[in-house]
Amino acid sequence: MTGLLAILFFAWMIGAALLAIRHPDLLQSALALSLLSLGAVGQFFLLHAPDVALTEAAIGAAASSFVMLMGVRQLGRTEGKDLQ
C-alpha cells in the first residue's frame, strides 16, 4: 500500500511539474508549483520524516507560494511573448 501511495505521489509531482512548465498562465503555474510542494510533503511523510514534511509544508507550500503569487501580482498573469 505504501508503494502505491509513493507512485501516486510521484505521478502527482510529475504532473504538477509539467503543468507548471507548460501552462502560459503564470498564476496557474505558481499554483502548480504549490501542488508540487504538497506532493513532496506526502513523499516525506511516507518516508517517515514528519519534521521534514512539516518544514516543506510551511516553507515550500506556504511561504514560497506566497512569494510567487506576489510576483505574479506584480508582473501580470500572462507571459510576454513579444519582449525582444
Side-chain angles (χ1 to χ4, degrees):
M1 185 66 172
T2 304
L4 182 63
L5 280 175
I7 291 171
L8 181 68
F9 278 123
F10 277 132
W12 177 349
M13 291 171 67
I14 289 171
L18 289 175
L19 182 65
I21 291 170
R22 303 291 283 163
H23 211 285
D25 187 7
L26 295 178
L27 178 63
Q28 291 185 5
S29 293
L31 293 176
L33 287 174
S34 299
L35 288 175
L36 180 73
S37 292
L38 288 176
V41 168
Q43 287 290 347
F44 288 135
F45 187 73
L46 286 177
L47 291 171
H48 300 288
D51 53 341
V52 180
L54 287 174
T55 303
E56 177 67 25
I59 295 173
S64 296
S65 298
F66 177 74
V67 170
M68 286 186 287
L69 291 176
M70 290 299 110
V72 168
R73 182 178 173 195
Q74 292 291 321
L75 296 174
R77 283 183 71 163
T78 57
E79 190 173 0
K81 299 287 184 193
D82 52 21
L83 297 174
Q84 293 182 2

